[in-house]
Amino acid sequence: MDKLLWRVLPLSTLLISFALFFYLHNSNNAELYPIIKLAEGECSLFPYDHYWISSKRILTSQGIISGSVEINEGKIASIVEGYGKQGSSVQQVIDYGDAFIMPGLIDVHVHLDEPGRTEWEGFVTGTRAAAAGGVTTVVDMPLNNHPTTVSKETLELKLEAAENKIYVDVGFWGGLIPENAQNTSILEGLLDAGVLGVKSFMCPSGINDFPMTTIEHIKEGLSVLAKYKRPLVVHSEIQQDSKSNLELKGNGDPHAYNTYLVTRPPSWEEAAIKELVDVTKDTRIGGTLEGAHVHIVHLSDSSASLDLIKEAKRRGDSISVETAPHYLTFSSEEIPDRDTRYKCSPPIRDALNKEKLWEAVLDGHIDLLSSDHSPTVPELKLLKEGDFLKAWGGISSLQFDLPVTWSSGKKHGLTLEQLSLLWSQKPATFAGLESKGAIAIGNHADIVVWQPEVEFDLDDDYPVFLKHPSLSAYMGRRLSGKVLDTFVRGNLVFKDGKHAPAACGVPILAK
Ligand SMILES: NC(=O)NC(NC(N)=O)C(=O)[O-]
Ligand SMILES: [Zn+2]
Ligand SMILES: [Zn+2]
């Protein structure tokens, strides 16, 4: 017996070693490159400064190619056509096979809520969700953080709070409120400190220290912004409380979505946009506000409001518009009673409105997409009570920008090129983010690698990095388009469900 054992042992050791070798070899192949254990504090899950990534499908500024991209010290150093071919300086290659490589998404409308409301969201949770979704840059809104970002001093508080907490790059919108519109030195101080532009509300914002602006305040703001050549972004709704609406508010069932919907009709958006386009005529070349730009956030009304914007564009006004994936995905008819996760303003309208909005996206009348990720705490969303009139308005979605847009978009004929234009190139130009938004030589290596054809369920097992996953109306859905890896300035910040240990995103300040 002993003898037999001694004979079998070397043989089995040999077999085990072989098996182990093949297993490791294959699993390395599956991982596509060796995983090296990182020390705490590292910015990247791939510890090389100089490497290539290759795939059969790379969306470059010259179109989709099969080939490789050379990344060196955070920037795109070269692009080589031909799958499997790399330049002579090959050090490390990550071969993604036929996964799709494209520029990272730039989400210009995100409420990160820090400092002051970290129980709602925060720099760490928000930017980790972004990284997990292939979003490599976000631009943070000046509310619902406390204090709101309306002066140089409050921007400094933001920057302090963001230190060592951001996993992707973050730019900041300042706020235009009556106080700094009337005292332009405060506004200039805020712009000098580096906000990419300012945002205002034409209706109550729901946040006490962010009062609404009238069109007169907006004109004051625009005359300052014209000098800086930075945009004004506007929540474009003006309250039009007709008698019948007031009555409905009192009588309708607050658990029915329609009761909320009728309280914020398209005429609110139309009224605001009418006032805005009356002002944007002066932004034309030679006009008194030349250099200023008005950007309408989260357009929901695809009828009269959109027509006003199209007409202003035709005239040559400096105006642009975004919409959000929830207006392109959901329709009011299908929102269940009591499901306040869907409450936002302006509201999600009917299916016909949604289809017209898609048409406008595909025809290029909508300039870009953004999430308007605006969570709160579950208690304020009133998930248990299900009261649409009292619940906080805001959709929680940041991590799902890409799969949600793609899932609905592909059914409407959206191409991968259009998707990237709407989520990367256009937002980069709009927010003045040089060196971002395209895979082009010299640009930041801000990249998402994803599988457009892969479907997955957003179930309880799915790794969601939002602060409050239960608030997202997308939970429970089946989506197309799985994010594999995300690079920010060459750092592999997210891979296969894991984040890099250190938060190495940088704040982006306008100069
Ligand atoms: N204070 C907010 O975050 N409001 C947001 N709320 C929404 N959209 O329902 C917004 O962007 O208007
Ligand atoms: Zn808004
Ligand atoms: Zn918002």
Side-chain angles (χ1 to χ4, degrees):
M1 201 48 194
D2 267 7
K3 261 190 190 163
L4 185 66
L5 188 70
W6 279 114
R7 263 192 216 167
V8 171
L9 204 60
L11 187 69
S12 54
T13 315
L14 202 66
L15 279 174
I16 289 168
S17 332
F18 261 113
L20 207 61
F21 171 80
F22 279 108
Y23 170 74
L24 285 178
H25 190 75
N26 279 334
S27 64
N28 271 352
N29 262 349
E31 295 287 350
L32 303 169
Y33 51 88
I35 292 291
I36 291 172
K37 195 146 172 32
L38 291 161
E40 277 290 312
E42 298 248 0
C43 300
S44 178
L45 293 164
F46 188 61
Y48 299 96
D49 268 352
H50 189 188
Y51 58 94
W52 294 75
I53 55 175
S54 69
S55 159
K56 292 174 189 155
R57 295 187 291 174
I58 306 174
L59 180 59
T60 73
S61 53
Q62 310 295 314
I64 297 179
I65 63 158
S66 168
S68 301
V69 176
E70 181 185 12
I71 295 165
N72 195 9
E73 292 182 351
K75 289 196 174 149
I76 293 165
S78 71
I79 300 166
V80 172
E81 256 190 90
Y83 181 63
K85 274 200 247 165
Q86 285 93 31
S88 53
S89 60
V90 181
Q91 309 280 324
Q92 302 288 333
V93 183
I94 309 177
D95 185 352
Y96 284 108
D98 60 5
F100 197 70
I101 295 181
M102 71 177 196
L105 281 73
I106 297 174
D107 193 335
V108 297
H109 191 149
V110 175
H111 299 261
L112 290 176
D113 305 342
E114 190 166 354
R117 280 201 184 81
T118 44
E119 62 289 8
W120 290 22
E121 187 52 284
F123 284 119
V124 170
T125 46
T127 60
R128 280 165 73 93
V135 177
T136 50
T137 301
V138 302
V139 187
D140 177 51
M141 280 293 164
L143 70 166
N144 314 315
N145 42 289
H146 186 82
T148 50
T149 318
V150 291
S151 61
K152 174 180 186 281
E153 292 74 23
T154 47
L155 177 66
E156 277 161 8
L157 293 176
K158 264 265 172 214
L159 292 169
E160 252 168 61
E163 227 168 278
N164 300 322
K165 286 192 201 146
I166 49 180
Y167 285 78
V168 300
D169 290 351
V170 181
F172 305 90
W173 299 119
L176 178 75
I177 55 170
E179 193 190 337
N180 60 16
Q182 282 152 357
N183 182 346
T184 50
S185 68
I186 305 177
L187 186 58
E188 282 167 2
L190 178 61
L191 289 158
D192 288 335
V195 292
L196 304 181
V198 293
K199 194 259 181 86
S200 90
F201 267 74
M202 294 178 85
C203 61
S205 73
I207 295 289
N208 286 339
D209 62 340
F210 204 89
M212 60 180 264
T213 46
T214 63
I215 198 69
E216 295 308 319
H217 299 128
I218 285 176
K219 281 189 209 161
E220 295 290 341
L222 284 174
S223 62
V224 175
L225 288 159
K227 288 185 273 176
Y228 287 80
K229 297 202 166 27
R230 293 184 210 164
L232 173 72
V233 304
V234 193
H235 180 121
S236 312
E237 281 185 298
I238 294 179
Q239 217 159 340
Q240 309 280 298
D241 248 347
S242 68
K243 201 159 172 271
S244 63
N245 269 342
L246 278 174
E247 276 162 9
L248 265 166
K249 266 187 202 166
N251 298 336
D253 173 8
H255 305 110
Y257 179 73
N258 204 50
T259 306
Y260 169 63
L261 180 61
V262 296
T263 66
R264 280 183 111 108
S267 58
W268 285 35
E269 289 186 76
E270 191 188 342
I273 293 166
K274 213 174 242 159
E275 289 194 4
L276 288 171
V277 295
D278 191 42
V279 171
T280 56
K281 62 181 187 313
D282 295 330
T283 62
R284 287 179 233 161
I285 296 163
T288 51
L289 288 173
E290 184 182 340
H293 179 86
V294 170
H295 178 77
I296 288 149
V297 297
H298 52 46
L299 183 83
S300 175
D301 172 32
S302 55
S303 294
S305 304
L306 182 66
D307 291 341
L308 287 168
I309 299 165
K310 284 204 253 183
E311 176 54 26
K313 283 182 175 179
R314 258 197 298 274
R315 295 185 316 214
D317 297 12
S318 192
I319 188 169
S320 55
V321 57
E322 72 189 29
T323 192
H326 40 274
Y327 300 116
L328 295 165
T329 303
F330 305 129
S331 54
S332 55
E333 296 93 328
E334 63 181 29
I335 297 178
D337 282 357
R338 299 176 169 268
D339 200 342
T340 54
R341 296 177 305 166
Y342 293 88
K343 180 178 177 181
C344 61
S345 67
I348 292 159
R349 306 191 192 282
D350 63 21
L352 192 67
N353 183 75
K354 178 181 80 173
E355 293 310 317
K356 279 191 69 178
L357 211 49
W358 260 120
E359 238 172 74
V361 168
L362 297 170
D363 291 345
H365 297 305
I366 305 268
D367 298 272
L368 56 99
L369 300 177
S370 72
S371 67
D372 190 15
H373 174 67
S374 186
T376 181
V377 283
E379 300 78 56
L380 288 182
K381 205 67 182 156
L382 301 181
L383 295 178
K384 283 205 193 85
E385 296 86 332
D387 185 326
F388 278 108
L389 298 181
K390 293 205 187 105
W392 170 259
I395 296 277
S396 181
S397 58
L398 179 54
Q399 189 182 338
F400 314 131
D401 286 349
L402 177 54
V404 162
T405 308
W406 181 238
S407 300
S408 172
K410 65 178 188 171
K411 290 182 201 143
H412 287 86
L414 184 79
T415 65
L416 291 166
E417 287 93 335
Q418 284 171 313
L419 172 82
S420 181
L421 201 65
L422 289 160
W423 269 113
S424 298
Q425 198 178 317
K426 293 285 201 85
T429 310
F430 159 63
L433 305 172
E434 283 165 24
S435 311
K436 291 193 185 288
I439 296 182
I441 294 170
N443 267 7
H444 294 171
D446 292 350
I447 286 166
V448 55
V449 184
W450 63 296
Q451 296 166 305
E453 294 80 15
V454 171
E455 296 194 356
F456 60 95
D457 291 306
L458 266 188
D459 55 20
D460 290 342
D461 298 331
Y462 193 84
V464 178
F465 297 95
L466 301 167
K467 180 114 184 169
H468 301 289
S470 67
L471 295 187
S472 180
Y474 294 110
M475 290 311 291
R477 295 220 155 208
R478 188 168 182 80
L479 298 176
S480 295
K482 193 158 196 245
V483 171
L484 296 178
D485 290 7
T486 307
F487 297 84
V488 176
R489 281 172 293 96
N491 289 325
L492 180 53
V493 297
F494 181 82
K495 172 175 180 50
D496 290 340
K498 285 200 191 67
H499 289 88
C504 301
V506 298
I508 304 167
L509 297 173
K511 282 193 207 88

